[in-house]
Amino acid sequence: MDAERWWPPFVEVVALVWIVLFVVDVAVGFDLLAVSESLATAIRGVLQWLLVVFLLDVALLYRWSEQGPRAFVRSNWFLILTVVPWFRPLRLFRIGRSIRALRLLTGSRRVGSFLNKLRRKCHSLWHRLRE
């Protein structure tokens, strides 16, 4: 099925968007970032709608797994836990495996150079946000 190929990368992008919006929402809540009330309300609304994507993700993975409910929960408990928004950042640990694979590629000048530029850019953006 075609959706089985494009759905997981889509959900990973949605997860990253959720994490960014969650951080912005927390920053607004602690008065670290000033945004209009309408934008803050919109961010909270988007966060709630993205939860629907995560619930749909678990439902689709269950359907595609061809396992019974107990076997699915037993083998995917961590995935199910990360549907709860506050545990969503834990899903980044799964991305950690991909980062280890990227480390093998850092011997390549292009990939190593790209990763260093990306790291510097993220560091620069972080300092701008803190000011």
Side-chain angles (χ1 to χ4, degrees), residues 72-83:
F72 180 77
V73 170
R74 202 173 310 129
S75 63
N76 294 292
W77 64 270
F78 186 74
L79 174 76
I80 294 167
L81 177 70
T82 61
V83 169

Side-chain angles (χ1 to χ4, degrees), residues 3-4 7 53 55-65 72:
E4 289 182 60
W7 181 256
V53 174
L55 292 172
L56 182 61
D57 180 40
V58 172
L60 287 173
L61 291 175
Y62 169 68
R63 182 164 184 238
W64 292 332
S65 74
F72 180 77

Side-chain angles (χ1 to χ4, degrees), residues 6-104:
W6 64 263
W7 181 256
F10 169 74
V11 173
E12 294 300 325
V13 170
V14 169
L16 291 174
V17 169
W18 189 93
I19 290 168
V20 169
L21 291 177
F22 179 74
V23 169
V24 169
D25 187 43
V26 169
V28 168
F30 284 106
D31 293 326
L32 299 173
L33 186 64
V35 298
S36 68
E37 187 61 37
S38 61
L39 181 59
T41 303
I43 289 171
R44 285 186 215 107
V46 171
L47 286 171
Q48 290 175 352
W49 277 105
L50 291 179
L51 178 60
V52 173
V53 174
F54 302 139
L55 292 172
L56 182 61
D57 180 40
V58 172
L60 287 173
L61 291 175
Y62 169 68
R63 182 164 184 238
W64 292 332
S65 74
E66 298 176 2
Q67 293 178 321
R70 290 182 90 169
F72 180 77
V73 170
R74 202 173 310 129
S75 63
N76 294 292
W77 64 270
F78 186 74
L79 174 76
I80 294 167
L81 177 70
T82 61
V83 169
V84 178
W86 297 275
F87 295 119
R88 192 68 191 178
L90 294 176
R91 213 176 241 205
L92 288 176
F93 290 127
R94 199 170 69 177
I95 295 172
R97 289 185 228 146
S98 302
I99 291 173
R100 280 187 232 126
L102 276 176
R103 284 186 181 167
L104 294 173

